[in-house]
Amino acid sequence: MAKTALLSIGDLAARTGLAVSAIRFYEEKGLVHPLRSAGGQRRFLRSDIRRLSFILIAQQLGLSIREIAEQLDRLPQGRNPTQRDWTRISKAIRSTIDARIAELERTRDRLDGCIGCGCLSLKKCQLYNPEDRAGLKGPGPRHLIDG
Amino acid sequence: MAKTALLSIGDLAARTGLAVSAIRFYEEKGLVHPLRSAGGQRRFLRSDIRRLSFILIAQQLGLSIREIAEQLDRLPQGRNPTQRDWTRISKAIRSTIDARIAELERTRDRLDGCIGCGCLSLKKCQLYNPEDRAGLKGPGPRHLIDG
DNA sequence: GCTTGAGCTCAACTTAGCTTGAGGTTGTAG
DNA sequence: CTACAACCTCAAGCTAAGTTGAGCTCAAGC
């Protein structure tokens, strides 16, 4: 690790605690855009440490890689992210969390209304509301109920 | 669908809104235990409608198939589940939801402490607490950071 | 100038929760 | 009694978020 401004993938892994394979994966997903050395090796900017830290934090907050990518894509092109940028993103994330909490609370309340009822009727049970299920999950396991 | 007490997989699918393939999958995972006709076709009890409804509801509440199986396995062997059983299970689920909400709230509070800070330092950021990450996810994608 | 660790690519594997398809059988309506 | 829908069993495929391995190349120290 010569004292250039650029970091190898191993350096970056050491600094962030990430596995090398994970960093390559993140590049594939468009979360980082390293330069390449003459020989084809990845060369990262120092600011990428921060970028990767952000990814880790956002993941802890429950954001998917895709959601994180969207946030990062919104960073003004070509310049390094500032504190301001991170703050803006943090606020966006906060709304996401708030929404998630609200949804869980709604569910909990419905469950409370159901405890003791025990009906579990598809027609009557408040917990089982097909409209709530539609578009709940996005891609992945999908119930093709609405077809 | 003759007027026997037993339902074919198609009947059950029609009544629950589930795909036939999903019901077969649930059997494979031990969530239902249909009988078989002489020719090898599945024959379900009417009470399985309720069982499947429960699965759908529990999934909405965020329980995994495995967790649902655990709840269902606790039902007294050999008899049909009663309202009481469902109520007991519902209460168990409620604790799960409560825990999930609490965790999200904790996260939100930490995020609030961070908005405006913008440090995103792996050493200092409150959001990035390695101890919280350990064992957070169980199986699946795992960070091998702690190795 | 060579050896060796670090890096490269590409493909396959993991878990969860299913779907889709191929190829063959059952059961029931007419 | 036959036709055809519904059923059966595999096997393979999908997404997310990575890991692991094979087989090869790069770069840096001695």
Side-chain angles (χ1 to χ4, degrees):
Chain A
M1 162 176 169
K3 238 187 180 174
T4 37
L6 297 175
L7 304 172
S8 73
I9 195 168
D11 297 339
L12 195 57
R15 258 133 170 348
T16 58
L18 279 168
V20 165
S21 62
I23 298 176
R24 290 201 190 102
F25 176 76
Y26 292 150
E27 182 193 5
E28 199 186 309
K29 293 299 174 183
L31 301 186
V32 269
H33 309 284
L35 308 167
R36 296 287 178 144
S37 73
Q41 299 195 356
R42 289 171 183 81
R43 294 297 174 237
F44 294 86
L45 301 174
R46 295 200 163 270
S47 61
D48 284 329
I49 297 175
R50 182 168 274 209
R51 218 177 155 88
L52 288 184
S53 304
F54 173 74
I55 295 170
L56 285 166
I57 291 168
Q59 277 192 312
Q60 261 206 88
L61 298 180
L63 299 206
S64 69
I65 293 270
R66 184 174 288 211
E67 288 168 319
I68 295 170
E70 279 165 21
Q71 292 297 336
L72 288 175
D73 283 352
R74 244 168 250 154
L75 286 179
Q77 292 286 338
R79 71 167 169 75
N80 281 348
T82 65
Q83 271 204 1
R84 273 212 154 151
D85 294 322
W86 298 127
T87 301
R88 183 177 46 68
I89 291 177
S90 302
K91 286 187 178 155
I93 291 180
R94 190 186 154 140
S95 326
T96 304
I97 296 180
D98 282 344
R100 236 158 246 184
I101 290 176
E103 204 191 302
L104 271 180
E105 280 171 346
R106 236 165 28 96
T107 297
R108 185 182 57 185
D109 293 345
R110 287 194 290 160
L111 180 61
D112 280 350
C114 235
I115 289 180
C117 144
C119 67
L120 289 177
S121 156
L122 286 179
K123 316 244 155 158
K124 292 182 298 175
C125 184
Q126 295 208 48
L127 277 172
Y128 187 82
N129 183 345
E131 273 146 56
D132 282 8
R133 295 210 286 150
L136 196 82
K137 294 277 183 180
R142 49 240 111 129
H143 312 233
L144 292 183
I145 286 161
D146 15 63
Chain B
M1 158 178 171
K3 236 185 179 176
T4 37
L6 298 174
L7 304 172
S8 74
I9 196 169
D11 297 337
L12 196 57
R15 267 152 171 324
T16 58
L18 280 168
V20 164
S21 61
I23 298 177
R24 289 201 190 103
F25 177 75
Y26 292 150
E27 184 193 3
E28 199 186 310
K29 293 300 175 184
L31 301 186
V32 268
H33 309 284
L35 308 168
R36 295 289 177 144
S37 73
Q41 298 195 358
R42 290 170 182 81
R43 294 299 174 233
F44 295 85
L45 300 174
R46 293 199 166 273
S47 61
D48 285 329
I49 297 175
R50 181 168 275 207
R51 217 176 156 89
L52 287 184
S53 304
F54 173 73
I55 295 171
L56 285 167
I57 291 168
Q59 276 191 313
Q60 262 206 88
L61 299 180
L63 300 206
S64 69
I65 292 270
R66 184 173 287 212
E67 289 168 318
I68 296 170
E70 279 165 21
Q71 292 296 336
L72 288 176
D73 283 352
R74 245 169 250 154
L75 285 179
Q77 291 286 337
R79 72 166 171 74
N80 282 347
T82 65
Q83 272 204 1
R84 273 212 153 150
D85 294 323
W86 298 128
T87 301
R88 184 176 47 66
I89 291 177
S90 302
K91 284 187 178 154
I93 291 180
R94 182 174 166 149
S95 328
T96 304
I97 297 181
D98 282 345
R100 233 158 248 182
I101 291 177
E103 203 191 303
L104 271 180
E105 279 171 348
R106 235 166 28 95
T107 297
R108 183 182 58 186
D109 292 346
R110 286 195 291 160
L111 179 61
D112 280 350
C114 233
I115 288 180
C117 144
C119 66
L120 289 177
S121 155
L122 286 179
K123 317 245 156 158
K124 291 181 299 174
C125 185
Q126 296 208 46
L127 277 173
Y128 187 83
N129 183 345
E131 272 147 57
D132 282 8
R133 295 210 287 150
L136 197 81
K137 294 275 183 185
R142 50 242 110 132
H143 311 233
L144 292 183
I145 287 163
D146 18 60

